[in-house]
């Protein structure tokens, strides 16, 4: 495992530092300009569509999902371990400034996800049984005809099955096991028990189809987000005197992270930006091609409606939920008398800064909440929130993988896929967490490549009128 970890880490470092950042920023800028800043112009419209149609009981649709059910499924995928564990990892390795770059990626990503949702709507199809089928594989084949389009769509489908259905499920269950085990004082050798419970619960929903998934996510997402936000606000208000300093550190260390994370100026800045980019991708998923599977299912009058609705998903994910995590962690552990301030990280015996990558990412949020709630309740609160976040992500990602399995192998393969996916949920609870994260990142990056190429190729289709497009 150690040898595999080093290989994957090396590949990921090249993909992140030299390809991913330019692709995400580039496609975000492309659609921001092409749509005339749709994330600003249509932000109010998106908020009205989302919160004007919010419902915890959207009902079974004849085919597809209601717009809110589709958004809830997308947010269930977005709001997961990336908002807690991913944010903590970005701060530990890239410093508080990594959060600034996650904000930048998210702002540009709102335009990207608008394009993804619109294209998913415009290229979706209805099969012989009346079921809606849509997602990147369909707009990739629209963008590129013939062999090249088929190759890219198959490449994307395989990467999605591995990244979301298998490796992604492992990340989520790994984080559930870690935080739950800490909360109840369980030995890591017994984490397989937690993994078994999560796998059984997931399997029940996996086998229930899209309507059972929608019924779960439309209820779970609003409740879990509200619970976490309220808990975060309690901590933030308790440390309110340090909140201005926390914001200051986010902006200061975005451009001058050397003093906090060590290394040369160029290395420190590259680390902060790359951590923001890759953890931003894992958190809001804009440009990755995952959430278009959900947005394709939405029953709306105009693709534009689902496009602006999708933007609000990124806004909620990053600018609200993830920012809450950042403020809690930075205001308690970095600002003021925080344990991870400069003095705490400086090791005089070694003559330099300690390696922040060795700190326990999965439990950092528990440490932060524990400073206000007390260690026991802080551990339990984060474990409960992370369970709902991660479990909802497992469900949505499995659904996205299922769409691609059906695209490649037909309906008969779906049951086999679901059984294998349950096995990966269980395995995630007992695997080394660094390897699980690195493997997930690697396959996520592979999803980005064909998805972004197709998005740019279909730029005119995004802003055109539907009856003139196809």
């Amino acid at each position: 495992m150690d040898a595999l970890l080093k290989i994957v880490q090396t590949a990921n470092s090249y993909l992140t530092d030299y390809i991913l950042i330019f692709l995400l920023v580039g496609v975000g800028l492309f659609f921001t300009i092409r749509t005339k800043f749709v994330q600003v112009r249509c932000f109010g419209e998106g908020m009205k569509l989302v919160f004007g149609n919010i419902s915890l009981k959207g009902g079974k649709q004849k085919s597809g999902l209601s717009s809110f059910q589709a958004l809830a499924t997308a947010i269930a995928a977005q709001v997961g371990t990336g908002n807690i564990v991913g944010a903590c990892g970005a701060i530990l390795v890239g410093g508080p400034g990594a959060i600034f770059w996650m904000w930048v990626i998210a702002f540009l990503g709102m335009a990207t996800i608008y394009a993804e949702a619109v294209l998913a709507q415009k290229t979706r199809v209805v099969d012989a049984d009346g079921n809606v089928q849509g997602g990147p594989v369909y707009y990739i084949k629209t963008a590129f005809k013939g062999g090249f389009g088929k190759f890219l769509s198959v490449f994307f489908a395989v990467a999605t099955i591995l990244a979301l259905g298998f490796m992604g499920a492992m990340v989520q269950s790994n984080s559930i096991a870690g935080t739950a085990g800490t909360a109840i004082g369980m030995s890591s050798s017994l984490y397989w028990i937690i993994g078994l419970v999560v796998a059984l619960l997931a399997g029940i929903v996996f086998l229930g189809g899209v309507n059972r998934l929608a019924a779960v996510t439309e209820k779970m997402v609003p409740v879990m987000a509200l619970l976490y936000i309220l808990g975060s606000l309690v901590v933030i208000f308790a440390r309110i005197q340090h909140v201005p300093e926390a914001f200051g550190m986010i902006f200061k260390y975005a451009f001058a992270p050397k003093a906090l994370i060590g290394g040369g100026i160029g290395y420190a800045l590259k680390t902060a930006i790359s951590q923001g980019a890759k953890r931003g991708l894992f958190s809001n998923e804009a440009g990755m091609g995952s959430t278009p599977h959900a947005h394709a299912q939405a029953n709306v009058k105009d693709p534009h409606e689902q496009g602006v609705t999708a933007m609000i998903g990124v806004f909620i994910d990053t600018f609200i939920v993830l920012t809450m995590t950042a403020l809690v962690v930075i205001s308690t552990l970095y600002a003021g008398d925080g344990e991870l301030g400069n003095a705490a990280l400086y090791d005089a015996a070694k003559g330099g800064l300690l390696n922040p990558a060795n700190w326990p990412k999965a439990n950092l949020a528990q440490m932060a909440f524990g400073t206000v709630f007390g260690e026991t309740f802080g551990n339990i609160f984060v474990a409960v929130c992370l369970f709902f976040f991660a479990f909802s992500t497992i469900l949505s990602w499995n659904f996205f993988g299922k769409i691609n399995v059906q695209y490649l192998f037909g309906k008969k393969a779906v049951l086999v896929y679901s059984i294998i996916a349950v096995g990966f949920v269980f395995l995630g609870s007992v695997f080394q967490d660094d390897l699980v994260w690195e493997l997930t990142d690697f396959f996520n990056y592979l999803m980005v490549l064909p998805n972004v190429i197709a998005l740019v190729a279909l730029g005119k289709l995004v802003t055109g009128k539907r009856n003139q497009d196809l």
Side-chain angles (χ1 to χ4, degrees):
M1 285 191 181
D2 288 339
L4 178 60
L5 176 61
K6 290 180 181 178
I7 294 171
V8 180
Q9 283 177 330
T10 301
N12 283 348
S13 66
Y14 282 101
L15 286 169
T16 304
D17 296 343
Y18 303 107
I19 298 177
L20 183 67
I21 293 174
F22 296 104
L23 284 179
L24 293 179
V25 172
V27 74
L29 283 171
F30 177 79
F31 283 110
T32 294
I33 295 170
R34 189 171 191 91
T35 61
K36 300 177 182 178
F37 284 82
V38 67
Q39 65 269 61
V40 177
R41 289 190 303 106
C42 300
F43 181 78
E45 179 186 355
M47 293 292 281
K48 289 179 181 178
L49 285 170
V50 171
F51 293 100
N53 296 321
I54 191 169
S55 170
L56 301 185
K57 192 175 181 181
K60 184 176 180 179
Q61 307 290 306
K62 291 182 180 180
S63 64
L65 306 173
S66 70
S67 180
F68 180 74
Q69 286 175 333
L71 177 66
T73 302
I75 294 178
Q78 293 166 313
V79 179
T81 56
N83 296 81
I84 300 180
V85 183
C88 292
I91 294 170
L92 276 171
V93 180
I99 299 299
F100 173 84
W101 297 111
M102 293 178 86
W103 289 342
V104 171
I105 292 295
F107 176 77
L108 297 175
M110 289 173 72
T112 303
I113 211 162
Y114 170 86
E116 289 180 306
V118 168
L119 289 175
Q121 279 282 318
K122 289 185 174 183
T123 59
R124 72 179 193 166
V125 298
V126 180
D127 64 21
D129 297 326
N131 298 314
V132 174
Q133 303 294 337
V137 289
Y138 293 91
Y139 60 68
I140 288 172
K141 289 188 70 176
T142 301
F144 304 104
K145 308 296 184 182
F148 183 62
K150 185 175 182 180
F151 167 76
L152 283 183
S153 63
V154 170
F155 181 92
F156 177 87
V158 172
T160 300
I161 295 166
L162 293 173
L164 305 185
F166 298 157
M167 303 302 171
M170 291 177 70
V171 164
Q172 309 299 328
S173 62
N174 182 276
S175 297
I176 290 174
T179 53
T182 299
I184 62 179
M186 177 183 284
S187 168
S188 59
S189 63
L190 298 177
Y191 283 2
W192 66 269
I193 298 174
I194 300 173
L196 182 62
V197 173
V198 175
L200 289 174
L201 291 173
I204 293 171
V205 183
F206 287 176
L207 300 176
V210 66
N211 286 306
R212 183 177 296 175
L213 170 67
V216 172
T217 57
E218 71 180 346
K219 296 175 179 64
M220 184 183 292
V221 167
V223 174
M224 74 181 191
L226 183 61
L227 174 66
Y228 186 70
I229 290 169
L230 289 175
S232 299
L233 287 174
V234 171
V235 176
I236 290 168
F237 279 115
R239 299 281 294 181
I240 194 69
Q241 71 273 28
H242 298 294
V243 170
E245 183 184 355
F247 274 110
M249 294 178 81
I250 290 173
F251 287 97
K252 174 184 176 181
Y253 293 119
F255 301 97
K258 179 179 181 295
L260 189 64
I261 65 176
I265 295 174
Y267 166 80
L269 186 59
K270 184 186 75 172
T271 301
I273 295 174
S274 65
Q275 284 296 314
K278 73 178 183 179
R279 290 293 158 241
L281 172 68
F282 189 83
S283 175
N284 64 59
E285 303 183 31
M288 195 166 83
S290 55
T291 58
H293 296 97
H295 294 302
Q297 299 287 321
N299 294 317
V300 291
K301 296 179 180 179
D302 188 333
H304 168 77
E305 291 183 14
Q306 198 59 28
V308 296
T309 298
M311 292 191 322
I312 304 305
V314 173
F315 178 81
I316 292 171
D317 170 85
T318 302
F319 291 102
I320 297 180
V321 180
L322 183 140
T323 298
M324 289 290 167
T325 301
L327 291 179
V328 166
V329 170
I330 298 170
S331 67
T332 58
L333 299 180
Y334 283 84
D337 55 352
E339 293 182 46
L340 299 184
N342 290 351
L345 285 179
Y346 190 82
D347 187 342
K350 295 182 180 179
L353 295 171
L354 297 175
N355 182 5
N358 293 331
W359 282 73
K361 302 177 186 64
N363 303 122
L364 187 67
Q366 291 177 313
M367 292 168 56
F369 278 95
T371 61
V372 173
F373 289 162
E375 182 178 354
T376 300
F377 185 70
N379 288 345
I380 293 173
F381 176 79
V382 174
V384 170
C385 290
L386 189 70
F387 170 78
F388 285 113
F389 281 21
F391 186 70
S392 65
T393 299
I394 289 172
L395 301 184
S396 293
W397 280 1
N398 177 265
F399 172 59
F400 301 161
K402 188 180 296 183
I403 292 172
N404 287 277
V405 166
Q406 187 169 328
Y407 172 79
L408 291 176
F409 307 111
K411 292 182 180 180
K412 292 182 180 180
V414 169
L415 178 60
V416 176
Y417 159 77
S418 297
I419 294 171
I420 295 173
V422 169
F424 273 90
V425 172
F426 171 75
L427 287 175
S429 65
V430 297
F431 263 49
Q432 179 183 341
D433 62 344
D434 285 341
L435 177 59
V436 171
W437 274 90
E438 292 293 342
L439 284 170
T440 302
D441 284 341
F442 178 73
F443 288 107
N444 284 347
Y445 302 158
L446 294 186
M447 288 174 62
V448 171
L449 299 176
N451 184 58
V452 167
I453 292 171
L455 289 175
V456 174
L458 294 174
K460 290 183 179 179
L461 185 59
V462 173
T463 53
K465 295 180 179 179
R466 185 181 177 100
N467 60 2
Q468 297 176 351
D469 288 328
L470 298 178

